Amino acid sequence: MIDSPDPKQRQLDTVRENAADGHLTTAQGVLVDDTENALTVGDRGPTLLEDFQAREKITHFDHERIPERVVHARGAGAYGYFEPYDDRLAEHTAAKFLTTPGRRTPVFVRFSTVAGSRGSADTVRDIRGFATKFYTEEGNYDLVGNNAPVFFIQDGIKFPDFVHAVKPEPHNEIPQAASAHDTLWDFVSLQPETLHAIMWAMSDRALPRSYRMMQGFGVHTFRLVNDAGKGVFVKFHWTPKLGVHSLLWDECQKVAGNDPDFHRRDLWDAIAAGDFPEWELGVQLVAEEDEFDFPFDLLDATKIIPEELAPVLPVGRMVLDRNPDNFFAETEQVAFHTANLVPGIDFTNDPLLQFRNFSYLDTQLIRLGGPNFAHLPVNRPVAPTNSNQRDGYSQHAIHRGATAYHPNTVGGGCPAIAGEGVYRHYTEKVEGQKIRRRSPSFADHYSQARLFWQSMSAAEADHIVAAFSFELGKVAADSGIRERTVAELAKVSRCLAERVANRLGLPAPEGSEAFAENSLAPSSALSQTAYVPDTIATRRIAILAADGVDAVGLARVADALRERGAVTEVLSIRHGGVITGRDGEEVTVDRGIATMASVLYDAVLVPGGAESVDQLACDGQTAHFVTEAFKHLKTIGAFGDGRRLLQIAGVGSHLADDETDDGVVTDDGVISCAADDSDIPAEFAEQFAAALARHRAWDRTVDAVPA
Ligand code: HDE
């Protein structure tokens, strides 16, 4: 089925697709009776050119690919809606979709990685794209953002340099979807303006647990404009209802092998299961008269406005509730453009944004084969269109009448110029010399990188040190890249630079920290610890079981966890079918342990049942499953005999007196070999859920972050 956000169009398309009563036809609508065999001369003779069915089929196949996106090639998308909470923004913007209470505006969102090719793995270290197309009644509005609020460069003219540096190196196209290589770090070491975004890229933000668990940011300062033409500066923020959570680096690398489609699958499965992800849209507003009140320039895309200086005002919510029907038609062909604006929203002179306004339209022309890409269902506005644009490759519209120009009398003056509801550019006075120079107000590249560093929790800071060390550790070129980068880090934070230098085996860098005098105080909103809601909704729990399992206990705990919104899966030695519980009950097996890995789950549960545990224990893979989950600071639960598997896996047993097995939940609080599967206390599931809601057991003493 061809899909369009417009319900009427979808109906039409569906009718057309269902023609021929579901029978196979050629592209010309001719019914086909054999698509397995080509037309040949005799049984073993040559294939005939006159076989128009075969030629049509193979010719279309030969042309199925279009160029992948230059950046953000790998992605996943979904439909949904946006609704404002109320009309609180009405005094600031004429954009009705932001201010009309109760109005649900359809959206399509595409999440992406930046550097990798279309077939690369989801869980690489990278910034994620977060692009939203709002099909508003006043036309399409695109908010094409990222999951980090700052970008690597300040002026769009440097974008090709940055992208060439981060992409695989051109002589051998290695490495795929990885920033840990010479050219990226060469560029970084020579371009201090990259530092703030690099801090984000080396942080846990670049390893999201799920697209559903990451923030989104418009990055640039935009402008809201009200009906009277008055403007106010605005930054856009998306905040996920499920909290902001990340994978550990070791997990990322293993997930990339176990399930390269991890994020794509996660989004798809959640929506298919009715667990619709939700984000809150927030805005930071700055009055025009306050433009120069900050120790940084609002037009500089390498800077945030700390929330302490301009609070985030919640204005509405977005829910994604429908998976696309066809990846290519929708997710691959969706064409975002920063210049798709509706009345009430405008640009600023941010020099990065100004380039984007050229680049996105330009890229669609080559990717989608001409100027008519707005006719594609996923790009079609819900608002009616009536332009004098004509012809071009793949023209879908059949325009009637003799005129395609304005003004005219032959066509009755149609289409007429509207008086109301039109897009009017914000009236801004601009004057100056024509110059090629970076604004001096963009010069401080260190204060905000330091602000970010200082706002991290201890674990987050450790991860940043490990990430810099890993990435620079992969640098092979002998041209001073490691030393130069560490010297730049020293200008951000001496402590950070010394820790990284130490891991790289370099001497502690000289020189002093460099940042503006009016440096900003740490901002709690920058740490992910600010976004940990008390929920286990959609968290994936692996239940390890075999014949003889305490099926009653398993069901009781699993039911209680599912009631709290978690997803449970029974993993066993066989890859399907049923296992027989201790008292003869049947338990359905969802998956085989060998087909999965602990890195694909948020938590592990081992129910009781002596025979079950004996079988699981025979299999080194199962013990490894538990040990690995422990290493990754995941919640691990066991009751009755299940506790024995924890012991076999070495979980908890190696701990010294002053160490902790935080996040290990058992029915008696101690790991013992007692074979008796007594009733599980009611609070077991509660304790398990409470541990899981913290995302990870950060206090567990285990080296989950090797250098
Ligand atoms: Fe993009 N960017 N970008 N970008 N970008 C593209 O557009 C570009 C920038 C972002 O899911 C391309 O259709 C330039 C910032 C996202 O389809 C391309 C500059 C931010 C996506 C392009 C930037 C982004 C893109 C590639 C600097 C965060 C994926 C294919 C001047 C605010 C959208 C395409 C999707 C995609 C150009 C910088 C986000 C080549 C020239 C800053 C989320 O046109």
Side-chain angles (χ1 to χ4, degrees), residues 249 462 465-471 499 502-504 703-707:
W249 177 233
D462 287 349
V465 170
F468 272 112
S469 312
F470 177 92
E471 299 258 323
R499 290 177 67 184
N502 181 33
R503 290 201 184 200
L504 291 173
D703 184 14
V705 197

Side-chain angles (χ1 to χ4, degrees), residues 37-95:
N37 301 292
L39 202 63
T40 54
V41 182
D43 278 343
R44 304 180 59 251
T47 303
L48 291 174
L49 197 60
E50 73 186 61
D51 185 352
F52 61 86
Q53 296 188 10
R55 275 174 49 221
E56 183 197 84
K57 184 175 175 183
I58 203 73
T59 304
H60 193 279
F61 169 78
D62 291 343
H63 295 260
E64 276 176 7
R65 290 290 166 270
I66 62 170
E68 65 174 36
R69 289 166 175 83
V70 182
V71 282
H72 297 265
R74 168 96 188 154
Y79 291 95
Y81 59 86
F82 170 80
E83 63 182 346
Y85 292 139
D86 49 35
D87 62 355
R88 74 183 67 174
L89 274 188
E91 62 172 303
H92 297 298
T93 179

